[in-house]
Amino acid sequence: MISPVGLHRVLEPAGVLPQAAWRLDASPAIAPNEVRIRVERLNLDAASFRQLREKHGGDGARMRAEVLEIIGARGKMQNPVTGSGGMLIGTVEETGRRSPLGLRVGDRVATLVSLTLTPLAVADGLARWDGHSEQIPCDGHAILFARSIAAVLPADLHPELSLAALDVCGAPALTARVVERYVADRAREGDARPISVAVIGGAGKSGSLSLVAARRAGAARTVGVVPVAGERDALEAAGVADAVVVADARDPVALSTAVTTALRVPADVTVVCVDVPGCEHGAVLATADGGTVVFFSMATSFAAAALGAEGLAADVTMLVGNGYAPGHAEFALKLLRAEPGVRGLFEARLAAD
Amino acid sequence: MISPVGLHRVLEPAGVLPQAAWRLDASPAIAPNEVRIRVERLNLDAASFRQLREKHGGDGARMRAEVLEIIGARGKMQNPVTGSGGMLIGTVEETGRRSPLGLRVGDRVATLVSLTLTPLAVADGLARWDGHSEQIPCDGHAILFARSIAAVLPADLHPELSLAALDVCGAPALTARVVERYVADRAREGDARPISVAVIGGAGKSGSLSLVAARRAGAARTVGVVPVAGERDALEAAGVADAVVVADARDPVALSTAVTTALRVPADVTVVCVDVPGCEHGAVLATADGGTVVFFSMATSFAAAALGAEGLAADVTMLVGNGYAPGHAEFALKLLRAEPGVRGLFEARLAAD
């Protein structure tokens, strides 16, 4: 039997899932439930790109060599230091007759499962990548399993824009779900207190989408926390948060003071979207008793979160941000279409890349 | 203002939380919201004790000298290599008039926040400690902040037994909360499906308490997963789970097959209580769509959990196990009293130590 989660592509160690594998079989021949994509571009995740850039001092040739070496050795793009991957776009080249993904040859798609579990082979040596962007022009092929997820890129949005949103589409979906839950619980309990939401890293891609998702889900007051004045100005101009504050998210006291001052209460829901280590304690401290912290940053330390909340005697629910939720791709694209403020932030970011 | 989280006790570096501080002020005079404990015993955490013992080749005098040096230099017992601490027991010596902890002078207590953030001074040179145990007889004093937590040791239970349960009391509290939520949601929605719960590492301290907590919270069927036949026999004899299965939690396919077979469906709630790395994917795969995984293992990898669920397109909620919840100490002690099966497992474990 060909495994729906790709166990048959795992070369070593045997028996683990593709994401945990050291090495995958990226051969182009597909099983009846697989799909082969002709790759057009890889998007490294932010943590991985940052690690590579810092390690190599921004030297594009050395970054390219390391990415090629990783993909060649592992049959997938999984940064061995950060453990993270990214996503890709390409065109459906061949579909197995038993693939349940509903894709057709010629569809232009973005994969919504991580590169860390996607069999991948590069054919062009990544020759068109200068190392200055996490978006890597690439010719090669990738394999989707039966339980993979890929979104067909919509015709009405620029592909770059769609991709940027699809890359982080788990964040607004989960934020909306959590906020909706608080709204429904309070309504049922006759609790008139409004729902307050803080998004750490509010001017970024996942952050700005989470801000508008929270507002649409019923948050009465939202604050976006950003590290520098430039991002503050951009986020204020976008009009997607009720308040915008500058604070160092790694400084627990500064962060919690900034959030609590802006919201006038601690946050019911705090969403961590900023990819720097050490934000766990500040996020916990900024959150009300009975509140929820959603960690979307791949720089989150499990131990720091668990021990931090215990040490602060903080009765907060802490969620590991799951990149998947049903309908997450469509929801993120809908927000991008409906929220000019978010769209403007995305376009400015793409223009700057 | 005197900080509820102890910022006023931080000497260096300024502005960080006590846990992150290099040095705390352990002076005995208390602020109005603090409590001073007369210390009776320190319990080093296992990782710290092992590091000290290995560094000094088990030489008790040298281990004692280093622990004294750490506490003297830092004003707290935080092993600079492992970063970890432990807990202490002692007697309440003085309570500030604005302390919210509800303690009375003379109460015999165990601290439930880590030694890594507890101001501590030693008065007896740890003269009664031979270095052979992580339990250090000690005379000295420690300070609790407004937001610290300490549990009064009950008179009807052996202190060792109480301590063993208090050490893991966050797990049954959160398990109960999560299961109760599913029970209430299904009742409200008229959904008659029973709630199924899997506890990975079911025979351990946190695991066995979580199993009985789940059952009391309304789980209709529970399974405990254990790594070896000896634990299976012990857990079956204890009668705290509806089913007991042996599986390697690091093998996602084996784990999910074992759970799904025992419960006849995937678990609504999966609780990970086993302190080995690599259990994230199996836990996700063993959990039903719409279900919840609670990670209590400090060996959990945030990235493996986040990317694993995304890669499996698994619509599961993943919680970082918070060691604190209101009432968690009392709840764990209540379970220990009311559940002879759990108590037997604890006593057997203590006898084996």
Side-chain angles (χ1 to χ4, degrees):
Chain A
M1 194 192 97
I2 303 300
S3 159
V5 297
L7 294 172
H8 56 286
R9 290 273 184 175
V10 173
L11 291 179
E12 56 176 304
V16 304
L17 291 171
Q19 198 209 328
W22 171 251
R23 193 158 66 95
L24 299 180
D25 172 6
S27 18
I30 58 170
N33 65 353
E34 293 182 331
V35 168
R36 188 177 62 253
I37 306 290
R38 196 75 213 162
V39 178
E40 169 184 333
R41 190 163 67 228
L42 308 175
N43 273 33
L44 298 187
D45 83 283
S48 175
F49 178 68
R50 176 194 300 252
Q51 189 273 336
L52 287 164
R53 192 178 53 191
E54 286 175 1
K55 175 177 175 185
H56 297 296
D59 181 324
R62 284 170 53 199
M63 291 168 71
R64 185 165 57 239
E66 178 161 1
V67 171
L68 279 171
E69 189 188 311
I70 291 169
I71 299 171
R74 305 194 65 173
K76 60 176 177 174
M77 179 53 211
Q78 181 173 25
N79 184 317
V81 175
T82 63
S84 57
M87 63 190 293
L88 63 83
I89 63 169
T91 304
V92 175
E93 197 168 57
E94 187 183 357
T95 65
R97 67 182 191 281
R98 294 218 315 272
S99 166
L101 300 182
L103 298 174
R104 286 168 307 185
V105 171
D107 278 348
R108 191 145 179 255
V109 296
T111 59
L112 301 185
V113 291
S114 171
L115 288 180
T116 59
L117 54 90
T118 304
L120 174 68
V122 172
D124 68 347
L126 306 179
R128 289 168 290 153
W129 185 46
D130 60 8
H132 291 158
S133 161
E134 68 245 32
Q135 306 208 354
I136 308 182
C138 168
D139 182 46
H141 70 264
I143 306 295
L144 300 181
F145 310 131
R147 235 175 122 161
S148 298
I149 319 166
V152 178
L153 293 170
D156 65 323
L157 292 171
H158 192 285
E160 299 283 346
L161 201 58
S162 298
L163 265 186
L166 293 172
D167 185 32
V168 297
C169 63
L174 183 54
T175 299
R177 186 188 281 194
V178 171
V179 172
E180 279 163 8
R181 177 107 220 187
Y182 276 91
V183 171
D185 284 356
R186 292 224 174 132
R188 197 169 48 242
E189 292 158 9
D191 182 340
R193 284 178 301 155
I195 306 294
S196 296
V197 176
V199 177
I200 319 302
K205 294 192 299 177
S206 55
S208 57
L209 281 169
S210 296
L211 278 166
V212 294
R215 187 183 271 174
R216 284 168 172 251
R221 190 161 170 84
T222 60
V223 59
V225 181
V226 295
V228 292
E231 289 197 18
R232 179 194 60 206
D233 298 344
L235 187 55
E236 277 179 350
V240 297
D242 299 318
V244 180
V245 293
V246 174
D248 182 347
R250 295 161 302 182
D251 180 335
V253 179
L255 179 63
S256 59
T257 303
V259 166
T260 305
T261 305
L263 295 173
R264 294 188 289 268
V265 288
D268 294 305
V269 178
T270 300
V271 184
V272 181
C273 291
V274 58
D275 256 322
V276 295
C279 303
E280 300 86 356
H281 292 186
V284 167
L285 212 51
T287 305
D289 260 16
T292 294
V293 182
V294 191
F295 291 106
F296 271 106
S297 164
M298 293 306 290
T300 303
S301 156
F302 183 89
L307 295 175
E310 180 179 312
L312 294 165
D315 180 20
V316 295
T317 298
M318 295 181 286
L319 298 183
V320 178
N322 182 348
Y324 174 72
H328 62 338
E330 298 72 17
F331 181 58
L333 294 174
K334 183 178 111 176
L335 293 176
L336 201 58
R337 289 189 186 98
E339 297 276 356
V342 170
R343 187 161 173 163
L345 286 170
F346 271 66
E347 286 170 342
R349 183 171 285 260
L350 289 172
D353 277 349
Chain B
M1 193 193 96
I2 304 299
S3 159
V5 298
L7 294 172
H8 57 286
R9 291 272 184 176
V10 172
L11 292 178
E12 57 177 303
V16 304
L17 291 173
Q19 190 169 37
W22 171 251
R23 192 157 68 95
L24 299 180
D25 173 5
S27 9
I30 58 170
N33 65 354
E34 293 181 333
V35 168
R36 188 176 63 253
I37 306 289
R38 197 74 213 163
V39 178
E40 171 185 331
R41 191 166 69 222
L42 307 176
N43 274 29
L44 298 186
D45 83 283
S48 175
F49 177 68
R50 182 181 311 128
Q51 188 273 333
L52 288 164
R53 193 178 52 193
E54 285 172 3
K55 174 176 176 186
H56 297 296
D59 181 323
R62 284 170 53 199
M63 291 167 71
R64 186 163 58 238
E66 178 160 4
V67 171
L68 280 170
E69 189 189 311
I70 291 169
I71 298 171
R74 306 195 65 173
K76 61 176 177 173
M77 180 54 213
Q78 181 172 25
N79 184 317
V81 176
T82 63
S84 57
M87 63 191 296
L88 62 82
I89 63 171
T91 305
V92 175
E93 196 168 59
E94 186 183 358
T95 65
R97 67 181 190 283
R98 293 217 316 270
S99 166
L101 300 182
L103 298 174
R104 286 169 306 184
V105 171
D107 280 347
R108 189 149 180 252
V109 297
T111 59
L112 301 185
V113 290
S114 171
L115 289 180
T116 59
L117 54 89
T118 305
L120 173 68
V122 172
D124 68 348
L126 305 179
R128 288 169 290 152
W129 185 46
D130 60 9
H132 292 157
S133 161
E134 68 243 34
Q135 306 210 352
I136 307 181
C138 168
D139 182 46
H141 70 263
I143 306 295
L144 301 181
F145 310 130
R147 249 177 109 160
S148 298
I149 320 164
V152 177
L153 291 171
D156 64 322
L157 292 172
H158 193 286
E160 298 286 345
L161 199 58
S162 298
L163 276 180
L166 293 172
D167 189 32
V168 297
C169 63
L174 183 53
T175 299
R177 186 188 282 193
V178 171
V179 172
E180 279 163 7
R181 177 109 220 185
Y182 277 91
V183 170
D185 284 356
R186 293 228 174 130
R188 199 170 47 245
E189 291 157 11
D191 182 339
R193 283 177 302 152
I195 307 294
S196 297
V197 176
V199 177
I200 320 301
K205 294 193 300 177
S206 56
S208 57
L209 282 169
S210 296
L211 277 166
V212 294
R215 188 184 271 176
R216 283 168 172 252
R221 189 160 171 83
T222 60
V223 60
V225 181
V226 295
V228 293
E231 288 197 20
R232 179 194 61 206
D233 297 345
L235 188 55
E236 277 180 349
V240 297
D242 298 319
V244 180
V245 292
V246 174
D248 182 346
R250 296 162 301 184
D251 180 336
V253 179
L255 179 64
S256 61
T257 303
V259 166
T260 305
T261 304
L263 295 173
R264 293 187 288 268
V265 287
D268 294 304
V269 179
T270 300
V271 185
V272 181
C273 290
V274 60
D275 254 326
V276 295
C279 302
E280 301 87 357
H281 292 184
V284 167
L285 213 52
T287 305
D289 260 16
T292 294
V293 182
V294 190
F295 290 106
F296 272 105
S297 165
M298 293 305 290
T300 303
S301 156
F302 183 88
L307 296 175
E310 179 180 311
L312 294 165
D315 180 20
V316 295
T317 298
M318 294 180 287
L319 298 182
V320 178
N322 181 348
Y324 174 72
H328 62 338
E330 298 71 19
F331 181 57
L333 294 173
K334 182 178 112 177
L335 293 175
L336 202 58
R337 288 190 188 96
E339 298 276 357
V342 170
R343 186 160 173 165
L345 287 170
F346 270 67
E347 286 172 341
R349 185 172 282 261
L350 288 172
D353 276 350

